[in-house]
């Protein structure tokens, strides 16, 4: 018994030890897993910190690794982070956007799985999870989407088609990522498939390259995504490698509404009508010479052409990447047009078209973006690229497999076979906003200046410029034309870039600004258009300037271009720019080019030596396409400059011969005339500071933005210009505005990160504070911030150190015998109650002819006079005597400046003097307007001003476009009303900024009138765009009340305004719905494809709070009564005022008419 008990005890102890060992192992394993998880989290945080901001393409490289042009790297996830298996490669890629939230996801195929990555924040992608292959691994996997579901096929045997509910991605916690998902449904009527194609309009999926129907179309009805059903097939043309299937709406009207598939069948493009599934019809097919493997393609937006890649021609016959073009305007008779040859010999794999851009994944060349210049002639221009395989570019099957360019954000994802997932973007619309940037490590050493900067320098030097900007387009600006040519006569206009057989024969834009006018040989709108459409043909074209009489020895220069395609085929092909110093009797060459191929670029020509005084100067351009018109020849001239060679003589400006039409503008006024006018201007900003911001743009003006902040008021933004404000290259912009006193700081930004000088245009900026330059420059990276200027005390307006051009040069003959002991306060605390005992009985009627030599007192009084003049002055001197002059006038103050003033002044004057007389006997102080800048409130989903001010603005950054391009925090609406998914940044409908302000300058408060101001970007046909304005009394539960609509009235940046009465509630909102087509009905959430909807939330005070007592409320005249059958309501906040537009339709109570 004892032995048995001992054995039992030993067994129990052993069992307990085993349990403890297992527990220890489990604890150790858990600890190791936790440590690993912490390490991974640390690595993730490090990686995300490294890509917290986009990496711009600088000097042709992103991250000093990836060759690029006009493409920025938002982020990169290597394969090692997507799978632990080192043998796994990447393959196809697609995208999905969750409509209600706007969240964006990349769906990428791997050898063993499909991975899902959220890229809503493109610089911080989240690897949400993955879906394993239905069977085994394969190098080929393809995924497409429909109705919030993904459909996945693979070349793996027996794989079939996986169906996955993508909404599962929305609720995964970050600490649980990546999740292994399971397929939602499966379709097994085929096994392997090379690709899956989806017609979303018809709810049909097509397996291609399957083990059924000889590899042709295998059709599946996916109208119920989780219950896919076989719907037929097509095998008559054999194997289909890839396809695009659409609900047809192209030019072949007989098939409108039909289900048409464009199949890429290895050696042909085959077009099939699958509308009647039991009776599928082959409509037409076409091959092409030199085809190696017709791989994949896409239909252009207009349905006229299909652009195709051939996967093997670069390995067999093509020396460079070829992009092939077919005409499919007749579906039954498609034709091959031609091919475009690319910049490398990389193999082209998958391409997609968005607008006029072709996004190609070209293996070792990475992403290459082509602009469709003319599909009918297979004419393309490469405008952007991002090479994900930087070590080499050859015709190997390595690098970029595919791309997806259809996210509303405008971002593009690229899948790398050996690399992983790239998230890319562009700050200048993939190069189309300004062309390819030929960046250099060292700024180019040239004499190029742009636009108004050059003009400004020339005018300061007394020069004059003929830049053709004010000349009539289509005219000649007074230049004569002659010659033997049959076409190519010189005219004024804006040149457009022309390329013929890889030679630029005409530049894009003039020399002055890049978008202005020049005198040139051909607008290229003649027969055939494009290069050679109406260039110089059949002989010599000549244009000659009018004569200019040169009164002083001068220097002469001009800018010209000459373009010629062919070399050495005709000795009578040439270009000559020449000058005559004897009114055309003889000529001297300034530039001469013979029969050589010439790239058309603006080039400077200078006359050697000085043009002597007394010369009758003429210029002449001669350009010839000699025998026949087989060549392409163009020429042009711009920016002719005549500058004095020495100190000015009696006359400093060349004047045109009166017998010929002048082409140069009249000389500018001299800076300091010897005779000054008797009247001086009033101060520009009485009681405030004047700030002038001058911007001379570079070649990429839309990238420039700036902000002026008042540092005394917690960096309050007092003025700003968002990205996209400036649109003209090389143009001088100057703005002047008045600001309250304070210390200020100016920040200028360039979104591309290369400043505004000097590689791509010689831009600069200046900021003047009360006439003093406080900030200037141009060479910076992403931004530059000035040192603080001004002070947080009262503004002191000092006189300039030198007189303006129209100021008097001497002081009055007598001055007041005494001056006030103190100067007035800005606002009197009470109204005057009596008049002074000793004051002039009448007001002065004339201003002094000379200004005082002393400046006004700068101290501010603390009290007001107890007396005032018995009569108010009828005029105000334009220059101040020693005694202070009011800076603001009472309502009965003069409206005209007196022309003279007594030479003597009163011997006695009030000891204090108000600067502003009250308009009533109110004793309350008028408010100082305050601008509150909103911040994004994630709980509301919109910009919000949390404090009460006289104005609330979203500022230039919070909206700035729409969800399809640059808008942060989309959709910026309280009820998640979504923006449209289409539109280019600052070219289609979008909202940049919303501002709401009280009309009387007081705080935003119940019962006050407010003005809503919306800065919007309209389409090129701006008359088709309309903004609908709404308000909601409760921002937490908005019920939108219609205020009114405003048409854009024109293209580009527009400012639209309406007024309404503020409800008596605390947290309110306004909405702007900017929609395409003004004929459509107004709506708080129109949901149009191009529309942009944004809200602004603001805080308001109670009714009557802080009203501006010294200001007269704006008069709002009653409107004509509306038809009571349509609109019936009274303004519920102002019972005596009719609303400006009815807010309720028929059937609601009330009436819209003025109260009796």
């Amino acid at each position: 018994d004892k032995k048995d008990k001992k054995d039992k005890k030993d067994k129990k102890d052993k069992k307990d030890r085993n349990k403890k060992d297992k527990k220890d192992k489990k604890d150790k394993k858990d600890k190791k897993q936790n440590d690993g998880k912490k390490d991974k989290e640390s690595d993730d945080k490090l990686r995300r910190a490294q890509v917290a901001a986009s990496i711009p393409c600088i000097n042709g490289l992103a991250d000093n690794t990836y060759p690029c042009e006009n493409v920025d790297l938002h982020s990169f996830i290597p394969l090692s982070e997507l799978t632990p298996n080192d043998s796994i490669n990447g393959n196809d890629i697609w995208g999905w956007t969750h409509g209600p939230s706007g969240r964006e996801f990349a769906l990428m195929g791997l050898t063993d799985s499909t991975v899902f990555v959220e890229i809503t924040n493109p610089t911080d992608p989240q690897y949400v999870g993955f879906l394993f292959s239905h069977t085994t691994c394969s190098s080929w996997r393809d995924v497409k989407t429909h109705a919030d579901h993904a459909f996945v096929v693979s070349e793996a045997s027996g794989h079939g088609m996986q169906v996955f509910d993508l909404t599962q991605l929305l609720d995964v916690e970050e600490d649980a990522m990546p999740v292994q998902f399971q397929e939602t449904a499966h379709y097994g009527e085929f096994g392997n498939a090379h690709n899956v194609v989806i017609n979303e309009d018809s709810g049909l999926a097509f397996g291609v390259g399957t083990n059924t129907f000889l590899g042709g179309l295998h059709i599946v009805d996916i109208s119920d995504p989780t219950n896919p059903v076989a719907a037929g097939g097509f095998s008559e043309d054999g194997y289909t490698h890839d396809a695009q299937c659409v609900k047809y709406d192209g030019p072949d009207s007989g098939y409108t509404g039909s289900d048409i598939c464009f199949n890429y069948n290895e050696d042909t493009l085959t077009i099939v009508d699958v509308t009647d599934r039991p009776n599928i019809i082959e409509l037409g097919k076409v091959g092409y010479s030199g085809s190696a493997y017709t791989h994949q393609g896409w239909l252009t937006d207009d349905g006229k052409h299909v652009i195709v890649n051939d996967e093997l021609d670069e390995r067999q016959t093509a020396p460079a990447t070829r992009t092939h073009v077919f005409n499919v305007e007749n579906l039954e008779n498609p034709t091959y047009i031609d091919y475009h040859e690319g910049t490398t010999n990389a193999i082209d794999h998958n391409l997609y078209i968005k607008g006029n851009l072709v996004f190609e994944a070209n293996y070792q060349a990475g992403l290459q973006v082509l602009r469709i210049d003319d599909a009918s002639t297979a004419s393309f221009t490469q405008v952007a690229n991002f090479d994900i395989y930087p070590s080499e570019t050859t015709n190997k099957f390595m690098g970029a497999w595919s791309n997806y360019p259809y996210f509303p954000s405008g971002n593009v994802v690229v899948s790398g076979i050996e690399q992983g997932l790239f998230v890319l973007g562009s700050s200048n619309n993939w190069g189309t906003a300004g062309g390819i940037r030929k960046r250099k490590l060292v700024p180019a050493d040239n004499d190029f200046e742009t636009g108004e900067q050059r003009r400004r320098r020339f005018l300061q030097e007394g020069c004059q410029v003929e830049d053709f900007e004010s000349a009539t387009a289509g005219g000649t600006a007074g230049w004569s034309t002659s010659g033997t040519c049959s076409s190519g006569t010189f005219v004024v206009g804006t040149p457009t870039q022309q390329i013929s057989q890889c030679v630029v024969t005409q530049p894009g834009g003039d020399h002055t600004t890049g978008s202005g006018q020049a005198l040139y040989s051909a607008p290229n709108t003649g027969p055939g258009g494009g290069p050679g459409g109406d260039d110089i043909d059949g002989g010599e074209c000549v244009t000659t300037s009018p004569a200019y009489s040169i009164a002083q020895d001068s220097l002469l220069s001009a800018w010209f271009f000459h373009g010629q395609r062919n070399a050495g085929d005709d000795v009578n092909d040439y270009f000559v720019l020449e000058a005559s110093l004897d009114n055309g009797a003889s000529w001297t060459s300034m530039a001469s080019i013979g029969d050589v191929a010439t790239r058309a670029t603006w080039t400077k020509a200078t006359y050697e030596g000085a043009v002597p005084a007394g010369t009758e100067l003429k210029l002449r351009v001669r350009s010839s396409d000699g025998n026949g018109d087989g060549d392409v020849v163009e020429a042009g001239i711009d920016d002719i400059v005549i500058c004095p060679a020495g100190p000015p003589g009696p006359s400093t400006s060349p004047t045109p011969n009166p017998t010929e039409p002048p082409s140069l503008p009249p000389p500018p006024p001299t800076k300091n005339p010897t005779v000054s006018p008797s009247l001086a201007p009033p101060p520009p900003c009485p009681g405030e500071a004047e700030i002038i911001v001058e911007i001379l743009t570079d070649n990429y003006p839309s990238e420039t933005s700036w902000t002026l902040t008042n540092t005394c008021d917690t960096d309050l933004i007092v003025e700003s210009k968002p990205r996209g404000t400036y649109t003209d290259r090389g143009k001088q912009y100057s703005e002047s505005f008045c600001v309250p006193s304070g210390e200020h700081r100016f920040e200028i930004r360039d979104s591309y990160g290369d400043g505004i000088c000097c590689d791509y245009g010689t831009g600069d900026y200046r900021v003047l504070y009360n006439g003093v330059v406080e900030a200037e420059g141009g060479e910076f990276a992403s931004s530059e911030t000035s040192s603080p200027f001004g002070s947080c005390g009262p503004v002191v307006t000092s006189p300039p150190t030198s007189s303006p051009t129209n100021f008097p040069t001497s002081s009055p003959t007598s001055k007041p015998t005494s001056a006030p002991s103190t100067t007035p306060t800005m606002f009197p605390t009470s109204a005057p109650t009596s008049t002074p005992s000793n004051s002039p009985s009448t007001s002065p009627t004339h201003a002094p002819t000379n200004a005082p030599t002393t400046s006004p007192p700068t101290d501010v009084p603390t009290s007001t006079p107890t007396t005032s003049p018995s009569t108010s002055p009828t005029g105000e001197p334009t220059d101040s005597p020693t005694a202070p002059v009011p800076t603001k006038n009472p309502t009965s103050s003069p409206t005209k400046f007196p022309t003279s003033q007594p030479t003597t002044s009163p011997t006695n004057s009030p000891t204090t003097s108000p600067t502003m007389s009250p308009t009533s006997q109110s004793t309350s102080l008028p408010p100082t307007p305050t601008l509150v800048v909103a911040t994004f409130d994630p709980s509301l989903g919109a910009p919000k001003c949390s404090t009460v001010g006289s104005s609330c603005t979203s500022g230039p950054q919070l909206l700035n476009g729409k969800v399809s391009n640059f808008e942060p925090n989309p959709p910026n609406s309280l009820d998640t009303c979504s923006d449209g998914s289409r539109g280019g940044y600052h070219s289609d409908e979008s909202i940049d900024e919303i501002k709401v302000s009280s009309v009387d300058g007081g705080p935003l408060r119940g019962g006050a009138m407010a003005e809503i101001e919306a800065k919007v970007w309209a389409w090129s046909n701006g008359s088709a765009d309309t903004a609908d304005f709404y308000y909601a009394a409760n921002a937490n539960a908005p019920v939108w009340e219609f205020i009114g609509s405003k048409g854009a009235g024109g293209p580009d940046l527009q400012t639209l305004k309406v007024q309404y009465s503020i409800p008596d509630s605390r947290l309110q909102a306004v909405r702007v719905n900017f929609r395409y087509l003004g004929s459509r009905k107004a709506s708080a959430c129109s949901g149009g494809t191009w529309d942009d909807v944004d809200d602004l939330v603001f805080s308001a005070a109670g009714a009557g709070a802080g009203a501006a007592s010294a200001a007269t409320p704006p008069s709002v005249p009653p409107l004509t009564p509306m038809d009571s059958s349509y609109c019936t309501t009274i303004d519920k906040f102002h019972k005596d005022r009719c609303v400006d537009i009815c807010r309720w339709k028929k059937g609601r109570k009330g009436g819209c008419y003025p109260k009796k």
Side-chain angles (χ1 to χ4, degrees), residues 898-936:
T899 56
S900 64
Q901 177 175 308
T903 58
T904 60
S905 301
T907 56
N908 294 319
S909 57
T911 56
T912 59
S913 173
T915 62
M916 179 177 178
S917 299
T919 59
S920 67
Q921 297 301 312
S922 170
T923 59
S924 63
L925 286 173
T928 300
T930 55
L931 175 68
V932 181
V933 180
T935 57
F936 180 72

Side-chain angles (χ1 to χ4, degrees), residues 348-688:
D348 46 345
H349 195 223
N350 287 311
L351 66 84
Y352 300 97
I353 297 173
K354 183 178 182 182
N356 71 331
L357 298 179
V358 183
F359 292 81
E360 297 185 341
N362 293 342
Y363 281 117
Q364 286 196 338
L367 177 72
Q368 294 186 311
V369 184
L370 306 181
R371 183 184 65 229
I372 305 172
D373 297 324
D374 187 356
S376 66
T377 60
S379 297
F380 301 83
T381 299
Q382 181 174 308
V383 293
N385 71 275
F386 189 92
D387 187 356
I388 72 168
Y389 202 98
S391 60
E392 66 174 355
T393 300
T394 64
N395 56 357
K396 297 178 182 177
F397 298 101
M398 307 167 75
W401 182 290
S402 192
N403 75 94
Y404 179 82
Y406 300 116
F407 288 112
S409 65
N411 294 323
V412 174
V413 289
V414 176
S415 56
I417 299 172
E418 306 85 4
Q419 295 78 25
L421 172 65
F422 292 83
V423 185
L424 307 177
S426 176
S427 60
N428 67 339
N429 196 23
W430 311 96
T432 60
I436 292 183
R437 302 178 180 214
K438 298 297 183 183
R439 295 183 177 272
K440 299 178 181 179
L441 291 173
V442 180
D445 181 15
N446 57 44
D447 193 27
F448 182 77
E449 292 179 290
T450 54
E452 292 300 320
Q453 182 191 38
R454 186 169 51 255
R455 174 184 287 277
R456 182 172 62 189
R457 178 171 64 83
F458 289 150
L459 293 180
Q460 288 173 348
E461 296 172 357
C463 305
Q464 295 194 41
V465 181
E466 169 59 283
D467 56 12
F468 303 100
E469 297 302 316
S470 60
T472 302
T476 62
W479 290 51
S480 63
T481 58
S482 59
T484 61
C485 59
S486 58
S487 68
T489 302
F490 287 85
V491 295
V492 172
T494 303
T496 55
Q497 187 182 74
Q498 303 296 326
I499 302 175
S500 181
Q501 297 179 9
C502 299
V503 177
V504 178
T505 59
Q506 185 170 285
D510 71 332
H511 175 255
T512 310
T513 66
S515 59
Q517 296 189 138
L519 183 67
Y520 70 112
S521 60
N524 292 97
T525 57
D534 50 6
D535 66 314
I536 296 173
D537 282 325
E540 181 186 68
C541 282
V542 181
T543 183
T544 306
S545 77
Y548 296 93
S549 299
I550 305 301
Q552 177 186 355
D553 289 355
S554 299
L555 302 178
L556 169 65
S557 65
W559 290 80
F560 72 91
F561 79 81
H562 171 61
Q564 182 174 318
R565 186 185 65 192
N566 301 336
D569 64 340
D570 192 339
V571 294
N572 291 315
D573 292 351
Y574 56 80
F575 170 89
V576 178
L577 169 62
E578 47 199 0
S580 172
L581 308 187
D582 51 14
N583 201 24
S586 61
W587 296 90
T588 301
S589 175
M590 294 175 62
S592 179
I593 301 173
D595 184 23
V596 296
T598 307
R599 177 185 294 173
T601 57
W602 286 106
T603 306
K604 187 177 183 180
T606 303
Y607 184 83
E608 291 187 10
V611 179
T615 295
E616 295 295 306
L617 173 67
K618 286 188 175 182
L619 293 175
R620 184 170 72 179
V621 176
R622 297 186 293 120
S623 188
S624 174
D625 184 4
N627 299 322
D629 56 3
D631 205 346
V632 178
V633 177
E634 311 266 20
I637 188 169
D638 199 7
D639 288 342
I640 301 153
V641 179
I642 305 170
C643 290
S651 175
T652 61
S653 303
T655 57
N657 188 323
T659 62
E660 300 197 34
S663 65
L664 292 182
T670 56
K671 190 172 183 180
N672 295 299
T674 56
V675 180
S676 301
S678 60
L679 295 181
C685 297
E688 295 183 311

